[in-house]
């Protein structure tokens, strides 16, 4: 299983020659989704108490379009905004975990850094795809990291909040795959990537 997973990652990491910009963005979003899912698995393995606890399922990041029927480009711009918020949340998770437990090295921490870099790359890709003279897109994290995550729960509250953030990353990475695939289909006239 691990060998198959390694092969999948290697194939996904392979250079994408001959692909369009939208095709590369879809491939990047798929890779991010895979890595976010793996990051959550590593977190669950590290925090075994999660077997008995599940976050409430509410969205941390939610967006509302300016119009009732946004164009695909507008949907990608909204996606970009959500991904910026996710990057900000991930930065906050890293900061709070380092404050609470120190700078640790392990599979979880390594994958967390990989997801952060991959998310930054996807932000640059979505910016390049839909930025216009009228609409400038930022790629910096969009989050102030000022909410109380541990409250009365202490370390437990931080762990549950981290779990919610990781679930949010998976949700938006999956949303990115779907939205960018629609953009690719519209621009390239083909569903194949």
């Amino acid at each position: 299983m691990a060998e198959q997973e390694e092969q999948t990652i290697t194939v996904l990491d392979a250079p994408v020659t001959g692909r369009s910009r939208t095709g590369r963005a879809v491939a990047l979003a798929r890779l991010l989704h895979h890595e976010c899912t793996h990051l959550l698995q590593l977190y669950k393995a590290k925090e075994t108490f999660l077997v008995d606890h599940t976050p409430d399922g509410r969205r941390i990041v939610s967006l509302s379009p300016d119009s009732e029927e946004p164009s695909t480009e507008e949907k990608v711009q909204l996606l970009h905004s959500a991904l910026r918020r996710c990057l900000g949340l991930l930065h906050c998770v890293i900061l709070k975990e380092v404050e609470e437990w120190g700078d640790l090295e392990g599979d979880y921490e390594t994958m967390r850094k990989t997801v952060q870099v991959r998310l930054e790359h996807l932000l640059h890709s979505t910016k390049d795809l839909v930025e216009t003279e009228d609409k400038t897109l930022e790629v910096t994290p969009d989050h102030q990291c000022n909410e109380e995550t541990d409250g009365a729960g202490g370390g437990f509250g931080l762990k549950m909040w981290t779990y919610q953030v990781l679930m949010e990353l998976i949700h938006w990475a999956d949303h990115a795959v779907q939205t960018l695939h629609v953009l690719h289909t519209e621009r390239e006239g083909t569903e194949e990537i």
Side-chain angles (χ1 to χ4, degrees), residues 40-193:
L40 180 62
Q41 291 168 346
L42 290 170
Y43 188 70
K44 285 179 172 181
K46 184 175 117 146
E47 303 296 345
T48 55
F49 77 92
L50 291 172
V51 171
D52 300 325
H53 297 84
T54 306
D56 61 14
R58 66 181 166 82
R59 294 266 69 89
I60 297 174
V61 175
S62 60
L63 301 171
S64 51
D66 293 337
S67 62
E68 282 186 35
E69 289 295 324
S71 69
T72 303
E73 282 79 11
E74 290 169 330
K75 288 178 183 177
V76 174
Q77 289 171 352
L78 285 168
L79 169 69
H80 181 87
S81 180
L83 293 173
R84 277 188 65 218
R85 290 182 188 173
C86 287
L87 181 61
L89 288 167
L90 183 58
H91 276 270
C92 190
V93 162
I94 293 169
L95 178 72
K96 289 184 179 288
E97 285 183 342
V98 169
E99 282 176 4
E100 186 76 21
W101 295 290
D103 202 5
L104 304 174
E105 291 297 323
D107 291 342
Y108 167 74
E109 289 78 14
T110 301
M111 183 55 69
R112 189 180 63 190
K113 290 174 189 170
T114 299
V115 166
Q116 177 183 350
V117 169
R118 195 81 62 206
L119 184 52
E120 290 167 354
H121 284 252
L122 186 57
L123 278 167
H124 284 284
S125 291
T126 55
K127 175 185 178 186
D128 291 343
L129 289 173
V130 293
E131 186 173 59
T132 64
E133 289 180 15
D134 299 335
K135 183 77 170 174
T136 303
L137 301 177
E138 298 292 325
V139 293
T140 55
D142 181 17
H143 192 72
Q144 301 303 313
C145 199
N146 55 8
E147 73 266 84
E148 287 296 318
T149 57
D150 46 5
F156 177 77
L158 174 57
K159 290 176 182 184
M160 288 302 291
W161 180 76
T162 298
Y163 188 11
Q164 286 182 296
V165 169
L166 297 179
M167 295 293 291
E168 201 71 9
L169 287 169
I170 291 169
H171 170 81
W172 286 104
D174 181 56
H175 190 71
V177 171
Q178 295 171 32
T179 304
L180 292 169
H181 189 268
V182 170
L183 182 69
H184 172 76
T185 302
E186 288 180 5
R187 287 191 179 176
E188 302 300 321
T190 178
E191 288 196 20
E192 290 191 29
I193 299 177

